[in-house]
Amino acid sequence: MIIPKNLEELAGYVEKGNSVFFFTADWCGDCRFIKPQMPEIENDFAAWRFIEVDRDKYIDVAAEWNIFGIPSFVVIKDGKELGRLVNKDRKTKQEIEDFLNRVTNG
């Protein structure tokens, strides 16, 4: 999981390559629930970069991207959004992997 140091670094992951943006926050219980399973998910989708986006640190980005619930996932390939799993519900590893399989074709 990549944790961007600043907005410029975060923006760089949007423009080039295959990226899955994981919007999260330290205080989010549902985020803490799924976080231990993220390495397995990353392993299953090794062709994709996983970027952890702290919703509080990047509140303007979250607002611009209409991220109003966390944990949420946005998949972007070379600057183009392929799909999003954005809501405030707790997500299981299976739900996240099903979503990623649909938008990335595995």
Side-chain angles (χ1 to χ4, degrees), residues 65-103:
W65 288 21
N66 295 314
I67 308 294
F68 295 115
I70 52 175
S72 286
F73 296 84
V74 178
V75 178
I76 295 182
K77 181 174 184 169
D78 296 327
K80 182 176 183 263
E81 183 176 316
L82 300 182
R84 56 179 42 221
L85 182 59
V86 176
N87 57 49
K88 63 180 176 38
D89 299 332
R90 176 173 282 192
K91 292 154 188 75
T92 65
K93 178 178 184 267
Q94 189 64 55
E95 286 172 316
I96 295 165
E97 290 201 335
D98 288 349
F99 159 72
L100 291 173
N101 275 315
R102 275 195 312 277
V103 300

Side-chain angles (χ1 to χ4, degrees), residues 21-80:
F21 293 86
F22 169 44
F23 285 83
T24 185
D26 290 340
W27 52 263
C28 169
D30 292 338
C31 301
R32 286 194 308 270
F33 170 80
I34 197 60
K35 209 165 194 177
Q37 297 172 66
M38 289 306 296
E40 283 181 47
I41 295 169
E42 288 180 74
N43 210 31
D44 292 343
F45 293 87
W48 293 82
R49 265 186 315 227
F50 283 74
I51 317 299
E52 184 176 319
V53 183
D54 184 315
R55 195 214 56 133
D56 295 337
K57 181 174 180 181
Y58 297 105
I59 192 75
D60 292 341
V61 173
E64 186 177 324
W65 288 21
N66 295 314
I67 308 294
F68 295 115
I70 52 175
S72 286
F73 296 84
V74 178
V75 178
I76 295 182
K77 181 174 184 169
D78 296 327
K80 182 176 183 263

